[in-house]
Amino acid sequence: MLIEGVIERAERVMSVRADSSASTDSLISAMRSVAELRSFLAAAEADLALRLRVASSFAEPEIAAVSGESLSAASRVIERGETLAVVAGLAEALDDARLTAGHVDAVTRGAKSLEPSERDALFGRIEGLVEEAGGLSVAEFARRVRREADEVRADDGMGRLERQRRATSMSTWTDDEGMWNVRGRFDPVTALSVSSALERAVEALFAEAVPESCPSDPIEKQKHLRALAFGRLVEGGVGSGRPGRPEFVAVIDADAPAVAGAATVEWPIPIEVPQRVLASLVADADVTTVVVRNGVVLHAPGNLDLGRATRLANRAQRRALRGLYATCAIPGCSTGFDRCKLHHVVWWRNGGATDLDNLLPVCSRHHHAIHDGGWNVQLGPNRELTLTLPDGTVRNTGPPSRRAA
């Protein structure tokens, strides 16, 4: 979009906003101008973000700081730029406001489950669909992209069910309200089992009466009951068998001031719960104590040094590191510890040992940056982190602190 077009649309919006008696047609025209400006700005943002990633080895925090959004939102902007860089027709259409950022993101999502050669084939097909995309809603275009992706995958000889099984996934996160969220996609065979078990659990638990917490709206009521039944299924408390016994890690920071003569204990769980509720949970759980001081694990049960016997870290090592880190160890990254990989600081293929002092929790994005993007990490005696980026930038942190995370 040329600068004249940007100015024209902005002036139209300002004029209509200033006119308290603007007609319906004028309001609709102004709304259309807002949408067109949004598309133009999305194209500009994606282009600038992609260029910043080339200029800076640690672009995501810089983008997040400027936009006020999260690191994951910054990553999505970069991914959008990557899609636009390889599908020129999409880039031109977004810049000219003939489609929206949502259309581009639909292509990005559709390509993620494909192999590199399949992605190239999908992008080639999308080039021929750009004009059609402008006449489709984001949801309609997303369905079209999924169909195209299915046809690309069909050429590899793999059966539809096998592709669906490979695409089965689940993600969890804690939102701003402190609620733990679950989102999953399941192949039809797995879905039949899960769905049947869930429906049986709802019937078994709530056939006679429903809990007082139920909403009055019938749709929200069913959602509520299914969520409660899902929780009971995971616990193992519906049907036969004993409820699952959770494990909690009690972290004692030897540097933290004692309260009323007793050590301060932190419970690194992914959600906040009232203290009295936590006490009842701990009473029926396996509790393991990890003692830390100034970035060093003073005590943790289990074998923490496996040497070269195995490349994979064990449960005891993850438990010990959970006492030190709440998130990915890379500064500025908010990915939770439980979603991180344990990276060998001295790489395994270079002779590194699977010992606690050689392990560092990093998210999959930063693990890829270390192994494939030229990032170099070093640990000091108290787990002080020195991160050297490909452009020569050096970032340093002190010992990890859960209280600072």
Side-chain angles (χ1 to χ4, degrees), residues 288-366:
T288 301
T289 302
V290 173
V291 182
V292 301
R293 168 181 285 162
N294 196 32
V296 176
V297 175
L298 300 180
H299 166 79
N303 187 359
L304 303 181
D305 295 319
L306 304 178
R308 296 285 296 175
T310 175
R311 183 178 62 85
L312 299 178
N314 63 16
R315 186 175 183 182
Q317 291 169 322
R318 289 195 67 88
R319 186 192 295 129
L321 290 172
R322 187 182 283 111
L324 292 172
Y325 297 91
T327 64
C328 171
I330 301 301
C333 184
S334 59
T335 301
F337 177 88
D338 287 328
R339 297 177 63 188
C340 290
K341 303 171 181 286
L342 294 190
H343 165 69
H344 290 74
V345 178
V346 177
W347 294 8
W348 173 262
R349 70 183 183 216
N350 294 337
T354 307
D355 292 344
L356 189 68
D357 289 344
N358 194 44
L359 296 175
L360 188 72
V362 292
C363 66
S364 59
R365 180 164 55 94
H366 288 127

Side-chain angles (χ1 to χ4, degrees), residues 8-343:
E8 176 188 349
R9 288 167 175 81
E11 288 179 341
R12 181 180 301 124
V13 172
M14 298 301 294
S15 174
V16 173
R17 289 189 66 192
D19 183 2
S20 59
S21 60
S23 66
T24 300
D25 288 343
S26 295
L27 292 170
I28 292 174
S29 177
M31 289 290 290
R32 184 176 295 111
S33 292
V34 169
E36 290 168 345
L37 288 171
R38 188 182 294 121
S39 293
F40 167 76
L41 291 174
E45 181 185 41
D47 177 52
L48 294 171
L50 197 60
R51 290 165 61 184
L52 180 60
R53 194 190 65 170
V54 174
S56 169
S57 297
F58 207 43
E60 287 88 343
E62 294 164 336
I63 296 170
V66 170
S67 65
E69 298 284 353
S70 65
L71 285 171
S72 59
S75 295
R76 285 196 295 272
V77 174
I78 291 176
E79 289 178 343
R80 185 180 301 150
E82 291 172 340
T83 299
L84 294 174
V86 295
V87 189
L90 275 182
E92 294 174 5
L94 183 64
D95 197 47
D96 291 340
R98 287 182 280 123
L99 45 74
T100 71
H103 290 85
V104 180
D105 293 345
V107 177
T108 302
R109 289 194 302 271
K112 280 188 174 181
S113 62
L114 300 177
E115 296 299 321
S117 61
E118 295 172 337
R119 288 194 196 115
D120 292 341
L122 176 64
F123 291 148
R125 289 173 176 237
I126 296 301
E127 285 283 13
L129 295 176
V130 170
E131 295 306 319
E132 179 182 344
L136 300 175
S137 69
V138 171
E140 291 170 336
F141 184 61
R143 287 194 292 270
R144 180 62 186 271
V145 171
R146 287 196 294 270
R147 287 199 302 271
E148 296 294 332
D150 285 342
E151 290 184 12
V152 167
R153 277 190 294 255
D155 294 338
D156 63 9
M158 187 190 302
R160 176 178 172 82
L161 180 58
E162 178 60 24
R163 291 196 300 273
Q164 291 171 327
R165 283 174 171 159
R166 292 192 181 192
T168 296
S169 65
M170 175 178 284
S171 59
T172 62
W173 72 98
T174 303
D175 62 24
D176 293 338
E177 298 180 15
M179 298 290 286
W180 189 68
N181 293 253
V182 182
R183 178 171 59 210
R185 300 175 68 234
F186 301 93
D187 65 85
V189 175
T190 303
L192 282 174
S193 299
V194 173
S195 179
S196 297
L198 189 57
E199 294 305 321
R200 288 196 301 269
V202 171
E203 294 175 2
L205 290 169
F206 308 118
E208 301 294 333
V210 298
E212 294 182 359
S213 58
C214 257
S216 58
D217 181 86
I219 296 178
E220 294 303 315
K221 173 182 176 181
Q222 289 305 311
K223 291 181 181 179
H224 184 70
L225 295 180
R226 287 169 67 86
L228 296 179
F230 175 76
R232 290 288 295 275
L233 279 172
V234 173
E235 293 172 359
V238 178
S240 59
R242 63 189 290 275
R245 187 175 177 85
E247 178 189 74
F248 292 112
V249 176
V251 180
I252 300 176
D253 187 342
D255 288 326
V259 178
T264 300
V265 179
E266 184 181 352
W267 302 89
I269 56 178
I271 55 175
E272 291 187 22
V273 296
Q275 195 66 31
R276 60 181 179 79
V277 176
L278 178 61
S280 65
L281 292 173
V282 170
D284 190 36
D286 295 322
V287 177
T288 301
T289 302
V290 173
V291 182
V292 301
R293 168 181 285 162
N294 196 32
V296 176
V297 175
L298 300 180
H299 166 79
N303 187 359
L304 303 181
D305 295 319
L306 304 178
R308 296 285 296 175
T310 175
R311 183 178 62 85
L312 299 178
N314 63 16
R315 186 175 183 182
Q317 291 169 322
R318 289 195 67 88
R319 186 192 295 129
L321 290 172
R322 187 182 283 111
L324 292 172
Y325 297 91
T327 64
C328 171
I330 301 301
C333 184
S334 59
T335 301
F337 177 88
D338 287 328
R339 297 177 63 188
C340 290
K341 303 171 181 286
L342 294 190
H343 165 69

